[in-house]
Amino acid sequence: MRRLDIPSQLPPPMEGHLHLGDLPHRPDAITVNSRHLSRGGEPWFPIMGEFHYARYPAAEWREELLKVRAGGVTAVATYIFWNLHEERRGVFDWSGDRDLRRFVSVCAELGLDVVVRIGPWGHGESRNGGFPDWVLAADCVPRTDDPRYLGLVRPLFEQIGGRLAGLTREHGGPVVGVQVENELYDQPGHLVTLKRLAQAAGIDAPLWTATGWGHAQLPPDEVIPLFGGYPEAAWDTAHDGWPQQSRAHYFFGPGRDDDSIGSDLRTTEVTGSDESHLARYPFATCELGGGMYTSYHRRPIIEAADIAALGLVKLGSGSVWQGYYMYHGASQKLGALSTLQESHATGYPNDCPVISYDFQAPLGEYGQFRESFHHLRLQHLWLAADGPDLATMTLAMPQDAPGDTADRRTLRWCVRSDGRSGFLFVNNHQPVETLPAHEDVRFAVELDGRELVVPREPVTVPSRAYFVWPLARPVGGSLLLSATAQPMGVLDADEPVHVFCRTADIPVELVFDAATVTGVEGPATVEHDGDRLVVTDLAPGAGCLVRVRDAAGGSAAVLVLDAAEALTAFQGRLWGADRLVLSERPVVIDGDRLVVYGQGSADVRVFPAPAFAARRDGVFALVAAPAAAGQVAEVKVEEVEQAGPVREAVIDPASGRASAPTDADFEQAAVYRVTVPPEAFTGEEEVLLRLDWAGDVGRAYIGGELVADQFWYGPAWEIGLRRFREQVLEHGIELRLLPLGGDAPVFLSPQVRPAVRPALELRSVTLVPVPRTVIAGDER
């Protein structure tokens, strides 16, 4: 039995010390104390996803932001890269894909908050960290209070302020937060200067933030320190193993910092590990790894479980603001004067792709729905309902918690609680180094004067499992003491419907305080055990709904899904009601339209059932979502040239890391011409060109212009063609592929490493249409 006693009283948070927040007279005022954020007088739990507007076609912003919202994200963070807007000094460009105002306005239309990361230095794998070349050439000391440097920054901030005029909180706009600078470790006074400079330019928000990792010295009480953590590190060396610091993010604990993020660029040494000063601020994040980019020398594969388990560990450890980087992938722009990616040529230790910034994100470079999108959404559905309560809760660790990050034998668990109720977190997953299953597991948590034992009988927690279970949580007017199922949120129906899902193949049991329940109806076994009412023999699925009547005469329902169904669940207001939608294909709610993505023709299940739906599956209505008409077109692939001699490895003398091929190297590439027929394009829907290949680096050109590239790392390379439609039909696509040499000091995940080098193989080139089926509310 694993035991933990929860203190019945929490010390109150510190109030009023932070120079942040709205004026108190606002009815929806955003405020901050040392523990959490509030909005309109109630605790508030933001879920933030990074999406770089200027790296994505403006014509597609609304569609992609609908996907972001469908994933449960409530706030969009975005870098404003200086070199994309003022590549030539004094010549600003806010047009087209660079139209910040239009992007923020679309976020406002869709009810999404916005956090702008204004720099001036931003990083984001951008050339010079986002500085235009002319800034580095100027006679000044960048990233300091040098008046000459501030004179360069002021016009940028004034431009940003002008673009955001009328969109700040003061005018009812969606901009709730501003991040100044990024990864600045030893200039706290400069951060205050930038904050004041931004405010004078009309950039304002209740929340001001700065990245706190690397034990950054931040100005006290002026900004909220934001933290991060990644499942891998493309900035690490090409060693054959898992980055040491990544291990820490799979252990529960109070620590927030990760001094490995940005360590390859840091010029100051990190000293000490004291985080006591952070008690003044809520535990907030902006860079939980939604994936990882590929550098030339290090190209890991990030799995959905790696991302979701890390996110869950941060929730268990105390996070009150989940921020993912990246949540939506993107593509680097080609500048008028240069390429704009981070590279050895610009003095950086990592060579990045010229174009691709896919990041293996939950939503890909061309809007692809990834498996991690569904796994994270499962947590976000829960946070939409219980996040405000979770925000007020603090971490309690068991005495037998692992002592260091080398421990792979001790089960990792914790509780977050306010002394009356809480949530029990378990993580038995980490990348690369598999954790063993744990048998005969039970938890005994002393909470508010009573012992909660969950489960009643010992169970096995399998390897790769990670989940959260409720403790003493309300279900309508009843008190659910414990459940061996993960909460997925609450539907606001005629009676509240609490949705759960089965976890880790563990039998589902619900244990209620018997004094708060007068009856349970539904497909389950109900028995009294002293002062507790135990509900068992539940068969999770579309028909597993029980109704709980409380002592005050009210009722609530509990719906329990199985694990596979839970990953297909979407929630939102649709056809006049708050509904849960189960769909094997991704769906997006757009007003009273349900948009279904992808191929296939499986029915969509909807609960509560809309009036127009006649067919049923359990308590769900079956709504037909037919596949889009038409045949999948075939491409024509011609080999134009075979690859020349294999390129010898080139080592960057400054970093000691392998350098990416140059333009000249691609003169020796294998060349293929791909012809796409006109019938491949129907309407405005996306069409992906999918290349199954193996090698080193690939580039795609249209009409001689580079449009996409990939450092090969295993998964198929996908290129969205919709944005290039006219050019593709006129010119076709030229692929240039380089073989992976035998001496290349490059890390690849073991499961994809070629058995023989040099390696170059183009296995297949196919078109994958991404149709959209729209279901309107009046369909029958």
Side-chain angles (χ1 to χ4, degrees):
M1 186 85 73
R2 292 163 170 82
R3 296 187 175 276
L4 181 58
D5 292 346
I6 306 297
S8 58
Q9 295 289 331
L10 295 182
M14 289 185 282
E15 303 267 6
H17 61 293
L18 300 176
H19 307 153
L20 301 164
D22 285 319
L23 294 174
H25 69 271
R26 287 185 63 107
D28 62 339
I30 291 174
T31 57
V32 191
N33 62 34
S34 64
R35 186 168 298 154
H36 62 83
L37 295 83
S38 293
R39 194 167 190 167
E42 299 294 331
W44 173 45
F45 198 119
I47 303 169
M48 183 171 71
E50 189 91 11
F51 179 20
H52 296 157
Y53 66 96
R55 289 172 166 175
Y56 211 86
E60 300 173 24
W61 284 344
R62 187 177 187 278
E63 179 181 357
E64 299 310 306
L65 288 168
L66 281 168
K67 294 177 186 177
V68 169
R69 188 179 70 177
V73 169
T74 62
V76 175
T78 193
Y79 271 130
I80 301 173
F81 291 111
W82 193 352
N83 58 13
L84 285 176
H85 295 289
E86 195 186 4
E87 192 174 4
R88 292 183 173 91
R89 184 172 183 178
V91 181
F92 285 92
D93 184 357
W94 300 95
S95 64
D97 300 345
R98 294 169 169 83
D99 192 343
L100 171 65
R101 184 175 188 80
R102 177 180 172 185
F103 181 79
V104 175
S105 297
V106 176
C107 289
E109 175 201 342
L110 299 181
L112 292 164
D113 293 320
V114 176
V115 175
V116 287
R117 304 176 82 175
I118 63 173
W121 192 88
H123 200 192
E125 286 63 61
S126 181
R127 180 183 179 93
N128 309 325
F131 278 164
D133 289 353
W134 59 264
V135 171
L136 296 185
D139 181 20
C140 67
V141 183
R143 307 180 74 182
T144 71
D145 275 354
D146 181 345
R148 296 167 297 177
Y149 172 65
L150 297 180
L152 305 181
V153 172
R154 188 174 289 106
L156 170 68
F157 280 8
E158 289 171 351
Q159 286 276 325
I160 295 172
R163 303 308 301 171
L164 296 178
L167 294 172
T168 60
R169 287 275 292 171
E170 181 183 358
H171 298 94
V175 179
V176 299
V178 179
Q179 178 187 308
V180 289
E181 253 285 343
N182 193 65
E183 301 174 348
L184 189 64
Y185 302 98
D186 57 356
Q187 297 281 331
H190 179 53
L191 294 177
V192 175
T193 298
L194 291 175
K195 179 179 176 180
R196 303 290 181 257
L197 204 64
Q199 289 172 323
I203 307 169
D204 206 0
L207 305 176
W208 288 82
T209 72
T211 52
W213 51 76
H215 296 280
Q217 301 171 38
L218 303 183
D221 303 338
E222 288 282 350
V223 293
I224 301 174
L226 298 187
F227 294 92
Y230 289 89
E232 243 282 359
W235 56 83
D236 204 344
T237 63
H239 66 83
D240 193 6
W242 192 30
Q244 178 66 36
Q245 188 60 34
S246 292
R247 290 175 173 81
H249 301 301
Y250 294 88
F251 289 80
F252 298 106
R256 306 183 191 183
D257 203 355
D258 178 348
D259 58 20
S260 75
I261 305 176
S263 60
D264 54 333
L265 302 178
R266 190 160 49 241
T267 57
T268 57
E269 184 177 350
V270 173
T271 58
S273 58
D274 181 20
E275 295 190 4
S276 59
H277 64 289
L278 297 179
R280 301 179 65 81
Y281 310 96
F283 183 177
T285 63
C286 65
E287 289 199 19
L288 300 181
M292 178 52 58
Y293 70 93
T294 53
S295 62
Y296 181 73
H297 71 278
R298 189 169 189 87
R299 315 176 195 177
I301 294 175
I302 310 300
E303 298 182 357
D306 303 341
I307 297 167
L310 187 152
L312 190 80
V313 167
K314 296 303 178 184
L315 290 171
S317 298
S319 171
V320 298
W321 178 349
Q322 291 282 91
Y324 302 100
Y325 189 100
M326 296 282 293
Y327 188 79
H328 197 306
S331 302
Q332 301 269 26
K333 282 279 193 293
L334 292 175
L337 305 178
S338 67
T339 60
L340 295 176
Q341 85 284 14
E342 175 179 313
S343 67
H344 290 164
T346 54
Y348 280 69
N350 310 304
D351 256 340
C352 295
V354 175
I355 300 290
S356 178
Y357 201 61
D358 176 78
F359 220 86
Q360 305 178 55
L363 292 166
E365 184 175 4
Y366 303 99
Q368 307 100 307
F369 291 92
R370 299 270 168 67
E371 186 181 355
S372 55
F373 174 89
H374 305 285
H375 285 255
L376 287 178
R377 187 185 61 243
L378 190 62
Q379 296 174 15
H380 301 164
L381 289 172
W382 163 53
L383 291 173
D386 290 335
D389 284 352
L390 183 69
T392 67
M393 297 177 179
T394 61
L395 168 68
M397 292 290 295
Q399 289 186 347
D400 62 348
D404 59 62
T405 58
D407 187 342
R408 293 167 58 189
R409 302 185 62 84
T410 304
L411 183 62
R412 304 167 191 182
W413 70 285
C414 72
V415 169
R416 271 184 77 172
S417 172
D418 59 8
R420 300 177 305 279
S421 69
F423 296 94
L424 186 152
F425 293 82
V426 175
N427 176 47
N428 200 31
H429 173 80
Q430 66 182 25
V432 182
E433 301 168 351
T434 303
L435 302 178
H438 292 265
E439 300 178 348
D440 298 323
V441 172
R442 285 197 299 168
F443 304 96
V445 179
E446 186 73 22
L447 182 62
D448 197 24
R450 80 173 107 197
E451 185 180 65
L452 305 180
V453 176
V454 55
R456 292 191 307 155
E457 299 296 330
V459 297
T460 296
V461 175
S463 177
R464 296 179 61 84
Y466 53 95
F467 52 83
V468 56
W469 288 344
L471 299 172
R473 298 292 299 160
V475 172
S478 303
L479 183 63
L480 179 65
L481 295 176
S482 66
T484 57
Q486 179 158 321
M488 289 178 57
V490 181
L491 284 172
D492 182 15
D494 293 336
E495 61 180 359
V497 180
H498 294 251
V499 186
F500 292 81
C501 68
R502 185 177 183 180
T503 56
D505 291 328
I506 294 171
V508 176
E509 67 175 30
L510 310 175
V511 179
F512 290 90
D513 181 343
T516 67
V517 179
T518 59
V520 177
E521 304 167 4
T525 298
V526 182
E527 58 183 344
H528 282 269
D529 182 8
D531 62 352
R532 304 181 187 195
L533 192 70
V534 182
V535 182
T536 56
D537 295 331
L538 292 153
C544 188
L545 184 140
V546 296
R547 181 162 286 104
V548 183
R549 302 194 181 279
D550 61 60
S555 67
V558 174
L559 173 66
V560 185
L561 303 176
D562 68 32
E565 287 172 325
L567 290 175
T568 71
F570 296 75
Q571 184 180 345
R573 189 156 188 86
L574 178 67
W575 305 322
D578 187 18
R579 300 189 194 274
L580 188 68
V581 178
L582 305 182
S583 174
E584 295 178 5
R585 292 181 282 165
V587 300
V588 164
I589 296 173
D590 184 4
D592 261 356
R593 306 185 325 149
L594 187 66
V595 183
V596 186
Y597 280 85
Q599 303 174 73
S601 58
D603 290 330
V604 170
R605 289 178 286 175
V606 182
F607 174 80
F612 64 80
R615 297 180 299 135
R616 295 289 188 275
D617 177 15
V619 299
F620 284 80
L622 292 175
V623 177
Q631 299 293 320
V632 176
E634 294 187 1
V635 297
K636 179 182 178 181
V637 181
E638 304 170 83
E639 185 179 37
V640 178
E641 295 180 25
Q642 293 186 344
V646 177
R647 169 182 177 266
E648 293 185 6
V650 175
I651 305 301
D652 173 49
S655 66
R657 298 173 180 179
S659 294
T662 64
D663 292 348
D665 291 319
F666 279 88
E667 296 299 320
Q668 299 296 322
V671 181
Y672 298 86
R673 177 175 175 79
V674 179
T675 303
V676 179
E679 57 267 26
F681 297 97
T682 58
E684 299 300 318
E685 297 173 346
E686 183 64 273
V687 179
L688 299 172
L689 184 72
R690 179 175 293 166
L691 294 91
D692 181 5
W693 76 294
D696 187 21
V697 180
R699 288 184 174 182
Y701 297 84
I702 301 176
E705 180 181 355
L706 178 65
V707 298
D709 58 348
Q710 187 194 52
F711 295 164
W712 179 79
Y713 69 105
W717 177 17
E718 293 182 335
I719 305 172
L721 300 183
R722 170 171 56 177
R723 65 189 66 172
F724 309 118
R725 173 177 176 159
E726 300 305 322
Q727 301 97 305
V728 166
L729 293 178
E730 180 180 357
H731 301 289
I733 302 166
E734 181 183 274
L735 298 176
R736 290 184 171 266
L737 308 178
L738 287 173
L740 181 66
D743 63 342
V746 166
F747 171 82
L748 292 165
S749 294
Q751 65 268 34
V752 300
R753 291 174 187 168
V756 178
R757 293 189 187 183
L760 179 60
E761 183 180 8
L762 180 59
R763 305 183 188 103
S764 66
V765 180
T766 55
L767 290 174
V768 181
V770 187
R772 292 175 290 184
T773 303
V774 177
I775 305 173
D778 58 356
E779 297 203 4
R780 303 183 184 281

